[in-house]
Amino acid sequence: MMKIAIAACKLLRAALKKLGRGSSLPGAVALKICPGALGRLRIDCPVVAVTGSNGKTGTTELINRLALEAGLKTVCNSEGSNQIEGVAACLLGACDLSGRIDAGAVILESDERFCQYTFKELIPTATVVGNLFRDQLTRNGHSEFVAKELKKGLRPGTLPVLNADDPLVTSLGEGFQRVLSFGVSPAALSEPEDASHAYFDGAFCPRCGGRMSYRSHLFAHLGDYSCASCGFCRPAPTHEVTAIEDGAITVDGRYTIALSQRDMMHAQNLAAAFTVAVEVLGIEPERAAAILGGIELKNSMVARVSSYSALGRELTFMLCKHENSMAYNETIASILRGATPDGVSLLIIVDKLSRKYSASDMSWLWDLDLHRLGEPLVGRVVFSGGFAHDLCSRALLAGVPADRILVQPDIEKATSLILEHGRGDLFALTCFTDAPKLRESIRRLSKNGRK
Amino acid sequence: MAENKTTVRITWLYGDLMNLYGSAGNMSSLMRLLEAMGAVVELQELSVGGYSDFSGSDFIFLGSGTERRALMALEDIRRFKDQIARCLEAGGTLLATGTGSALFGRSIKGLDGGLREGLGFAAGSTEFYEKRRYGEYVMSCPLAGEPVVGCINTSSSVRWEEQPLFEVLHRTGDGPEGPEGALKGGLMLTQLQGPLLWRNPPLLEALARKLSGLPLPECRPLWLKEACSGYQRLLRQLTPPPEKAKNA
């Protein structure tokens, strides 16, 4: 059945490719034919799984491109889904009919909750866990639930590569004899992070429940933590960023990596990729650092930014993710960090929460750092989409002055408002579910002129 | 001459532990409305290890947390049992949402299978399990006089043997069915979670009137008007058309 499953997968992939569609369907069909197909693959090279709430696509791309440029032939699910069907489509599409994969490294992005299914029979050589944030709580419940589900996917035989700065992620290493870790040293921080956030998930120890203290914060609940009750604390990372300056990071005090984007999460992702390269793929550290410094990511914060012109103004669109407060909070923080004295104005659109499920829960709006829209550099704020009124109410309760807020549920009219009344640099924030509506609005406004 | 202002004493329990799904929105909106009505709000926040006598509170709130954190809160809250009892006996109101509501029943069975004694203020028990369920609801609410909308995102089953706080009118998703919550004197327990009061202005206003004895402001504050617009939209969205409801 294995050969039939592989053949079916390859045929379907080829057919769908001709139609211009990438899909997990071939994997789903193959797994129907041969449910244990993943465990029957013959893979003689390291298999690296990458998972976590935010940044796993970027980290997967970093590791894949690093391996490629180091001369390794790779197999990576960079274009498909990150659930078991997508991984199956990728691997069965890449193997020969005997199930053998001819590669120097296999790099697989995986949904956090699906690791337990994807890696049931196929045990990765190493599993990178980047972070665990509040993400799609409608689907995922909460971070502790996700951590518990993810732990089921960390089976004996895999080598956990964990973010030392995230206490919940670090706690996943309990029970393993050997764990690798990466992080950003507190010494690398030139200035303390603004700790004013809508919520904080690091107050209590994930191991014993005792109250934790932090010597320094990176962002959200990531930082240098310790629990006085049980001694749980940030481990000394296998490799860590020891300096961030002049557009570059230094790893382990010796290896310099140029930064293509200046956000802390990217620094963390680079540290993760460096650790995998050196410890799992056997690439020399100097070489790994040199290659990483030259990678411009397709899936990066920079790539998630696009600029548009309409009604004589420039509008910068920054792709976020609904129900993921970290995505919005980090985007708002980066806009404010880069604001000029002319200030910034923002259009925030929340219309449809998900393409996959129907939900109307707006609890996550209370996890957004909307209070930051009350800072002096913010000129005008326009809220749009079906949740415009909820956003407005939440922002007012967070202390944003009423005279800088406009509410317009209609996305095209709202886009027109920000273009006409926005002060300073203009930004639009929304999720990929609502992005087409924004792009269409801009297109129509550009074509038709002033509304 | 000094103005005699109504004071409303609020105690917010475990705000840093039971802080999931926007629980903070309940406190934020309630306090802002009470202030808009002319009340003076005295807020006291208490969490693990802290101590204060809050038996004289007019209102106690406990929000939702993870199952593990709810059990942590349960172990800590036992030392406040007498205070809570005195508060309720004196006519105080207590609202607990999501997993926070489970603490006030007779028992909680954890994921480890262990049965823990609850505070026992209401007849009922909770069991935590692995599977998660999510449902969105429209419920009738006698206190508010208008329906309540909200969601339950849970991996627990709760059985109350008290007067329900709400009756389910419409449900989507796979959340629990049947009457919802428990109402016993000033004790209000519900599995509905998140910023329940903020997203339900009629309930928020009814509660604020009850706690302060003051009339609502002649003109609603802008944040409340906007919350009302959001509420109306959600109510329309979650209420099936009459034909469909009839056939269901």
Side-chain angles (χ1 to χ4, degrees), chain B residues 77-213:
Chain B
I77 203 173
R78 295 188 198 286
R79 61 203 171 97
F80 297 127
K81 186 174 176 179
D82 289 345
Q83 288 197 42
I84 295 169
R86 287 204 299 278
C87 171
L88 291 171
E89 281 162 19
T93 301
L94 185 151
L95 172 66
T97 61
T99 50
S101 64
L103 278 56
F104 298 89
R106 286 183 181 144
S107 66
I108 301 179
K109 190 174 180 182
L111 285 170
D112 56 4
L115 196 66
R116 292 152 180 89
E117 192 180 337
L119 294 176
F121 286 105
S125 58
T126 298
E127 183 175 347
F128 293 151
Y129 46 66
E130 295 277 353
K131 185 182 185 306
R132 289 209 72 86
R133 300 167 79 181
Y134 179 83
E136 298 188 342
Y137 295 86
V138 179
M139 301 190 186
S140 65
C141 175
L143 175 64
E146 290 183 54
V148 157
V149 291
C151 65
I152 296 178
N153 187 348
T154 187
S155 52
S156 66
S157 69
V158 185
R159 274 198 299 272
W160 295 112
E161 298 154 33
E162 303 282 359
Q163 180 187 340
L165 181 61
F166 307 121
E167 291 288 344
V168 176
L169 299 174
H170 309 292
R171 178 184 75 120
T172 59
D174 66 349
E177 291 179 277
E180 179 14 59
L183 177 64
K184 186 181 178 187
L187 188 67
M188 300 161 66
L189 308 176
T190 178
Q191 271 201 291
L192 285 177
Q193 62 214 128
L196 175 67
L197 298 177
W198 171 67
R199 84 169 104 213
N200 288 288
L203 179 60
L204 173 68
E205 290 177 340
L207 183 63
R209 277 201 311 269
K210 179 176 183 253
L211 295 177
S212 67

Side-chain angles (χ1 to χ4, degrees), chain A residues 397-412:
Chain A
L397 284 171
V400 182
D403 60 6
R404 70 173 62 165
I405 299 177
L406 293 170
V407 181
Q408 175 49 260
D410 182 279
I411 294 171
E412 187 172 334

Side-chain angles (χ1 to χ4, degrees), chain A residues 137 141-142 144 206 360 389 393, chain B residues 21 66-67 136 153 223 226:
Chain A
L137 297 186
H142 49 69
E144 286 182 13
S360 61
H389 295 290
S393 177
Chain B
Y21 310 121
T66 67
E67 293 72 28
E136 298 188 342
N153 187 348
W223 66 265
E226 293 295 323

Side-chain angles (χ1 to χ4, degrees), chain A residues 48 65 98 103 122 135 156 204 233 244 270 275 286 304 381-382 384 403 422 429:
Chain A
V48 179
R65 290 179 59 185
S98 74
L122 169 69
D135 176 35
F204 295 92
C233 63
I244 305 173
L270 284 169
T275 303
E286 291 84 357
R304 288 172 187 166
V381 181
V382 181
S384 186
D403 60 6
L429 281 64

Side-chain angles (χ1 to χ4, degrees), chain A residues 102-120:
Chain A
D102 176 24
V106 173
I107 320 294
L108 300 171
E109 178 188 334
S110 175
D111 177 274
E112 313 83 279
R113 287 179 60 190
F114 272 76
C115 282
Q116 59 184 302
Y117 309 112
T118 307
F119 305 125
K120 193 172 179 181

Side-chain angles (χ1 to χ4, degrees), chain A residues 146-339:
Chain A
V146 173
K148 210 169 167 188
E149 295 290 292
L150 173 50
K151 179 86 178 179
K152 294 176 191 169
L154 293 176
R155 292 193 162 81
T158 195
L159 174 63
V161 183
L162 307 178
N163 185 345
D165 299 322
D166 187 326
L168 191 54
V169 169
T170 294
S171 73
L172 294 171
E174 306 242 330
F176 281 88
Q177 283 196 328
R178 184 171 177 239
V179 172
L180 300 178
S181 60
F182 60 90
V184 175
S185 165
L189 304 175
S190 55
E191 53 191 61
E193 197 247 1
D194 169 18
S196 170
H197 294 297
Y199 68 97
F200 181 54
D201 274 343
F204 295 92
C205 175
R207 186 158 80 182
C208 77
R211 198 174 282 280
M212 290 215 292
S213 59
Y214 278 66
R215 279 176 55 215
S216 60
H217 292 268
L218 284 180
F219 56 95
H221 62 280
L222 274 59
D224 187 7
Y225 51 86
S226 62
C227 170
S229 303
C230 72
F232 177 76
C233 63
R234 177 184 185 268
T238 315
H239 296 286
E240 69 176 337
V241 175
T242 48
I244 305 173
E245 54 197 355
D246 300 329
I249 60 169
T250 305
V251 177
D252 298 343
R254 294 171 61 189
Y255 309 108
T256 303
I257 303 174
L259 280 173
S260 59
Q261 56 187 87
R262 297 185 183 199
D263 63 290
M264 195 58 76
M265 194 171 290
H266 184 56
Q268 292 227 316
N269 294 347
L270 284 169
F274 183 88
T275 303
V276 168
V278 174
E279 303 293 332
V280 182
L281 302 181
I283 299 169
E284 289 295 317
E286 291 84 357
R287 195 163 180 221
I291 296 172
L292 282 171
I295 295 177
E296 291 276 344
L297 288 178
K298 286 180 204 157
N299 293 295
S300 67
M301 185 177 263
V302 176
R304 288 172 187 166
V305 176
S306 41
S307 293
Y308 297 92
S309 293
L311 306 186
R313 301 285 304 267
E314 292 286 324
L315 178 69
T316 304
F317 168 40
M318 301 184 79
L319 187 64
C320 294
K321 189 178 172 192
H322 296 337
E323 297 189 286
N324 185 311
S325 49
M326 267 304 299
Y328 274 95
N329 291 346
E330 281 300 296
T331 302
I332 290 170
S334 75
I335 289 171
L336 292 174
R337 268 198 303 272

